[in-house]
């Protein structure tokens, strides 16, 4: 297949690109390097050094002989979005290219507006580009499990069967997202569902949980193929942060009592799920939703798992929760559709958290400890312009 990966320079986009290329697909990537720009803005860097996109592509060519087409540009530019679809003529588009940090979207008005403009308009431009060029293209869109919030009922895969006053219907699952970033994903999902309904497009929305891990089989082949690995309080995700904190002897920063539960997935399963979605496309007119997680844990349990695996002393510290989220809640998420397509999950209990410690130890000297503490507060936006 010909597959275009949008956001192909990012934490997940780059390993996905390599995984699809290694599986025999012809792959192109597009990125505007906004993510590298947020690092400059926040004064942090990926823990693991990363090569420029064009250098990474050259290393892959040198190792495998496989070519990856590279487009540099911004999806919020409608002409760019249209051009890459028209030129590359993909069978599937994997859309990762969004601002993805909840804390970043909660800094102040400007960051909330940027996040929603970037994400919602980029996605809309893409829907139009597909509809105008070739409505047969399968859109594989990265959504987020946090879009559902933590309802007091089971979370289904996108749709809910309801009976109301004696009548039955299947409706989009009610959403209660926890940040302006998570809200942008809900807006995207509504736009995609509408486009499938009115233009007969085909789409898969992958409502993914928090990703952990630093390497896939392909990125591990050469250190110049490494993907980014973030530890700061804005872009670092919880389990990756706990691993890094353990290695540098910083207390693990559990927000509140740590009773909040989150769905999780190993980065090796992320790339496999996206491959499965591409190779088993939705039908024309179908808006399909998969919950892309393999297990769930409370934040306290994640900290305890890292502390238990670390060969040394680890302190767990409960910080005042800077976010607004339920501290203790019911949580049960249906996630069978990707398993039915052939996913064989890597669970945290089978994973060598030790291997994550190894990667982290090598680059521990790059950590700026002051970037570890959360400064963005959900209850009180900064007084920005
Ligand atoms: P990332 O920030 O590392 O990668 C996103 C990439 O998209 C970056 O390289 C960025 O430069 C690019 N980008 C952003 N806006 C763009 C635009 N307008 N035009 C072109 N390129 C643009 O993020 P990630 O962790 O790889 O996440 C990828 C996707 O997966 C996101 O949509 C995110 O919401 C979703 N997701 C991530 C996680 C996680 O834990 N990392 C979990 C669930 C869902
Ligand atoms: N948390 C801590 N301590 C920390 C960091 C986080 O206790 O040091 C807690 C948070 O309070 C939250 C949970 O861990 O309850 C997850 O936080 P996170 O920063 O790891 O993840 P989140 O903000 O939810 O966002 C990440 C990705 C985002 C993706 C989302 C999937 O950045 O792109 O969409 O995970 S989900 O959470 O399922 O919506």
């Amino acid at each position: 297949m010909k597959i275009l990966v949008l956001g192909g320079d990012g934490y997940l986009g780059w390993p996905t690109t390599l995984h699809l290329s290694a599986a025999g697909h012809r792959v192109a990537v597009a990125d505007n390097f906004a993510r590298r720009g947020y690092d400059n803005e926040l004064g942090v860097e990926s823990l693991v050094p990363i090569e420029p996109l064009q250098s990474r592509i050259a290393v892959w060519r040198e190792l495998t002989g496989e070519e990856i087409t590279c487009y540099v540009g911004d999806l919020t530019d409608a002409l760019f979005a249209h051009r890459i679809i028209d030129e590359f003529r993909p069978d599937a588009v994997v859309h990762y290219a969004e601002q993805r940090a909840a804390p970043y979207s909660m800094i102040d008005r400007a960051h909330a507006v940027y996040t929603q403009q970037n994400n919602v308009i980029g996605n809309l431009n893409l829907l139009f580009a597909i509809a105008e060029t070739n409505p047969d293209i399968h859109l594989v869109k990265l959504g987020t499990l946090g879009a559902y919030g933590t309802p007091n009922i089971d979370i289904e895969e996108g749709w809910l069967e309801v009976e109301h006053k004696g009548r039955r219907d299947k409706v989009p699952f009610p959403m209660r997202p926890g940040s302006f970033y998570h809200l942008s994903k809900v807006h995207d999902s509504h736009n995609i569902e509408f486009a499938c309904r009115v233009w007969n497009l085909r789409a898969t929305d992958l409502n993914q949980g928090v990703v952990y891990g630093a390497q896939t089989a392909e990125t591990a082949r050469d250190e110049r193929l490494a993907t980014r690995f973030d530890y700061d309080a804005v872009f670092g995700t919880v389990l990756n942060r706990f691993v890094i904190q353990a290695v540098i002897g910083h207390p693990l920063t559990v927000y509140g009592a740590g009773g909040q539960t989150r769905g999780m997935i190993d980065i090796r399963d992320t790339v496999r799920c996206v491959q499965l979605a591409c190779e088993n496309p939705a039908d024309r007119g179908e808006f399909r939703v998969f919950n892309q997680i393999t297990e769930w844990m409370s934040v306290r349990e994640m900290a305890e798992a890292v502390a238990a695996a670390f060969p040394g002393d680890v302190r767990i510290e409960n910080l005042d929760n800077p976010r607004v989220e339920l501290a203790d809640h019911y949580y049960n998420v249906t996630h069978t559709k990707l398993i039915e397509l052939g996913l064989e999950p890597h669970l945290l209990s089978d994973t060598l958290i030790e291997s994550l410690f190894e990667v982290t130890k090598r680059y521990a000297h790059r950590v700026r400890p002051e970037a570890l503490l959360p400064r963005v507060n959900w209850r009180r936006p900064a007084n920005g312009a």
Side-chain angles (χ1 to χ4, degrees):
M1 292 172 73
K2 289 178 76 181
I3 305 178
L4 173 60
V5 180
L6 307 175
D9 189 46
Y11 171 52
L12 304 177
W14 175 242
T16 302
T17 300
L18 298 188
H19 189 70
L20 294 172
S21 174
H25 299 296
R26 198 164 141 220
V27 188
V29 294
D31 209 291
N32 67 349
F33 307 126
R35 178 70 191 85
R36 294 182 189 243
Y38 311 142
D39 272 357
N40 291 336
E41 175 191 349
L42 300 169
V44 289
E45 271 186 297
S46 161
L47 179 81
V48 176
I50 49 170
E51 294 286 325
L53 179 58
Q54 286 85 347
S55 313
R56 297 165 145 183
I57 289 174
V59 173
W60 185 247
R61 186 190 309 121
E62 181 190 309
L63 289 179
T64 64
E66 294 298 329
E67 197 57 60
I68 294 168
T69 308
C70 178
Y71 297 103
V72 176
D74 193 324
L75 268 193
T76 62
D77 170 356
L79 293 180
F80 174 75
H82 193 281
R83 178 172 74 81
I84 57 179
I85 302 287
D86 196 34
E87 250 177 59
F88 188 66
R89 300 254 147 199
D91 301 298
V93 177
V94 178
H95 180 18
Y96 281 114
E98 299 203 330
Q99 191 299 98
R100 69 108 173 119
Y104 190 87
S105 75
M106 298 298 292
I107 293 175
D108 58 11
R109 185 205 62 84
H111 288 80
V113 170
Y114 164 77
T115 300
Q116 294 211 354
Q117 276 183 343
N118 186 62
N119 297 0
V120 177
I121 294 174
N123 184 63
L124 258 182
N125 284 344
L126 178 62
L127 290 171
F128 273 88
I130 291 174
E132 289 161 6
T133 312
N134 174 13
D136 212 32
I137 294 170
H138 177 207
L139 171 62
V140 177
K141 168 68 166 53
L142 268 292
T144 188
L145 198 71
Y148 299 113
T150 49
N152 201 30
I153 56 173
D154 287 1
I155 294 173
E156 302 301 334
E157 297 198 79
W159 297 91
L160 184 66
E161 300 267 357
V162 287
E163 189 177 327
H164 182 64
K165 296 185 179 169
R167 300 183 67 80
R168 300 188 67 83
D169 204 349
K170 191 176 150 201
V171 297
F173 197 92
M175 297 291 180
R176 202 177 288 157
S179 72
F180 287 119
Y181 152 71
H182 286 91
L183 273 154
S184 74
K185 294 286 188 184
V186 175
H187 305 329
D188 285 346
S189 296
H190 286 152
N191 286 340
I192 300 170
E193 190 273 332
F194 179 71
C196 291
R197 209 156 19 97
V198 297
W199 294 334
N200 216 22
L201 300 193
R202 53 170 99 226
T204 304
D205 207 0
L206 296 172
N207 281 345
Q208 182 172 239
V210 186
V211 182
Y212 63 91
Q215 287 181 334
T216 60
E218 291 80 24
T219 64
R221 288 183 60 170
D222 187 303
E223 65 178 14
R224 294 168 299 166
L225 295 176
T227 195
R228 54 177 315 118
F229 192 52
D230 299 303
Y231 66 88
D232 62 281
V234 176
F235 275 91
T237 46
V238 61
L239 202 107
N240 292 349
R241 272 165 61 74
F242 288 168
V243 165
I244 292 163
Q245 291 166 347
V247 168
I248 66 164
H250 191 283
L252 309 195
T253 52
V254 169
Y255 297 167
Q260 65 274 43
T261 297
R262 292 294 176 266
M264 314 153 58
I265 183 165
D266 184 309
I267 190 167
R268 295 170 295 177
D269 291 338
T270 293
V271 299
R272 176 75 179 134
C273 288
V274 170
Q275 178 190 359
L276 288 169
C278 290
E279 291 174 356
N280 299 278
D283 293 331
R284 284 295 298 272
E286 186 186 10
F287 172 71
R288 193 171 69 162
V289 183
F290 296 165
N291 289 342
Q292 189 164 307
I293 58 162
T294 54
E295 61 189 317
W296 56 82
M297 269 186 194
S298 73
V299 167
R300 190 187 321 113
E301 287 165 338
M302 291 182 211
E304 284 164 359
V306 171
F310 188 70
D313 289 341
V314 174
R315 202 155 61 82
I316 296 176
E317 194 170 288
N318 294 99
L319 304 181
D320 284 345
N321 195 339
R323 306 186 183 198
V324 177
E325 48 191 9
L326 289 183
D328 269 308
H329 52 85
Y330 177 76
Y331 204 67
N332 192 32
V333 184
T334 305
H335 58 105
T336 54
K337 291 187 180 168
L338 283 156
I339 307 265
E340 281 160 20
L341 288 181
L343 176 69
E344 291 172 23
H346 295 85
L347 297 182
L348 188 66
S349 52
D350 313 323
T351 300
L352 295 174
I353 302 186
E354 290 80 357
S355 67
L356 277 179
F357 293 137
E358 280 314 308
V359 177
T360 306
K361 270 184 202 150
R362 212 173 315 145
Y363 300 108
H365 58 279
R366 288 167 58 89
V367 174
R368 284 187 48 223
E370 66 275 22
L372 286 168
L373 289 179
R375 299 196 194 287
V376 180
N377 193 311
W378 260 233
R379 293 170 186 83
R380 186 170 23 82
N383 195 4

